[in-house]
């Protein structure tokens, strides 16, 4: 019994150490197809609290009128009810579709930087970063407070530079 107890304590200590190491690692979830992209947008509006802020990179959307099929039916209502403020970096092309909204601040990448036509969106919200590729109908959610904070810093740096330059 004593030998078993010693071995059990050793195993428990080893497993505990492995668990604590893994706890700091980001959790990565792959989402595929339209329903799963909708699930990413749903996660955004359901996980944020009233008056929270999120950040979005939006590159060109090939068929702008189809964009609503990628968001759940309650998306816009929750976004409005929770008064979620968003900062957006997009292309000049996409900026023209934006109707003024006091809860949305939009800047654009200058036209000379032909790098924002990829049909990809990146969302930074709470402790998560989501990347959606509309061409392949796939997306990833990275859950990590540290990673989300890092991405937020990069976003804000670029956002402020673009805002200052009048974009």
């Amino acid at each position: 019994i004593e030998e078993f107890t010693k071995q059990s304590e050793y195993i428990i200590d080893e497993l505990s150490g492995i668990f604590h190491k893994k706890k700091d690692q980001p959790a990565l979830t792959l989402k595929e197809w339209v329903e799963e992209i909708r699930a990413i947008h749903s996660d955004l509006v359901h996980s944020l609290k009233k008056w929270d802020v999120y950040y979005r990179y939006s590159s060109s959307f090939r068929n702008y009128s189809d964009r609503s099929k990628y968001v759940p039916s309650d998306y816009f209502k929750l976004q409005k009810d929770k008064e979620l403020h968003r900062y957006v970096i997009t292309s000049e092309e996409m900026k023209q579709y934006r109707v003024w909204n006091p809860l949305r601040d939009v800047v654009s990448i200058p036209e000379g930087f032909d790098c924002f036509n990829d049909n990809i969106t990146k969302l930074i919200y709470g402790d998560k970063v989501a990347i959606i590729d509309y061409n392949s109908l796939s997306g990833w959610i990275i859950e990590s407070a540290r990673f989300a904070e890092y991405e937020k810093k990069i976003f804000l740096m670029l956002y402020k530079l673009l805002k200052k330059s009048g974009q």
Side-chain angles (χ1 to χ4, degrees):
I1 291 176
E2 285 178 28
E3 185 62 32
F4 177 75
T5 302
K6 282 182 189 178
Q7 288 179 354
S8 297
E9 288 172 356
Y10 174 77
I11 291 171
I12 290 171
D13 286 342
E14 287 294 309
L15 290 175
S16 179
I18 291 169
F19 172 77
H20 290 297
K21 281 183 193 173
K22 294 267 185 203
K23 197 168 125 179
D24 291 339
Q25 289 180 338
L28 178 64
T29 306
L30 171 65
K31 304 279 190 178
E32 295 182 293
W33 308 113
V34 174
E35 300 81 23
E36 294 296 323
I37 290 173
R38 233 182 265 127
I40 292 171
H41 287 101
S42 181
D43 183 56
L44 179 132
V45 292
H46 283 92
S47 66
L48 293 176
K49 297 178 197 76
K50 190 167 179 97
W51 302 303
D52 274 351
V53 175
Y54 69 93
Y55 309 89
R56 183 176 75 220
Y57 295 96
S58 291
S59 66
S60 293
F61 203 96
R62 294 226 172 98
N63 192 350
Y64 190 75
S65 61
D66 281 350
R67 74 191 188 293
S68 62
K69 77 178 180 182
Y70 297 107
V71 296
S73 58
D74 63 349
Y75 180 81
F76 295 109
K77 182 180 180 340
L78 278 170
Q79 194 177 56
K80 185 178 178 182
D81 291 349
K82 289 185 172 187
E83 299 179 61
L84 300 176
H85 192 95
R86 55 224 177 262
Y87 290 89
V88 181
I89 297 174
T90 191
S91 63
E92 284 288 332
E93 175 189 5
M94 289 296 292
K95 190 176 180 183
Q96 73 180 353
Y97 290 107
R98 303 294 180 215
V99 177
W100 182 82
N101 182 328
L103 297 174
R104 181 179 53 227
D105 291 317
V106 181
V107 296
S108 61
I109 299 291
E111 282 186 33
F113 289 93
D114 188 30
C115 65
F116 242 56
N117 298 323
D118 303 306
N119 222 20
I120 292 174
T121 293
K122 183 189 281 187
L123 302 163
I124 305 160
Y125 61 103
D127 291 348
K128 299 173 186 172
V129 175
I131 303 166
I132 302 168
D133 178 356
Y134 293 101
N135 291 345
S136 67
L137 293 179
S138 58
W140 301 265
I141 296 177
I142 303 164
E143 193 167 351
S144 165
R146 191 171 57 87
F147 190 79
E149 189 60 31
Y150 175 77
E151 286 291 326
K152 179 180 159 186
K153 288 174 190 175
I154 293 170
F155 179 96
L156 288 172
M157 178 178 58
L158 179 57
Y159 181 89
K160 289 174 184 175
L161 287 170
L162 291 169
K163 188 86 166 172
K164 191 176 186 177
S165 72
Q167 296 297 322

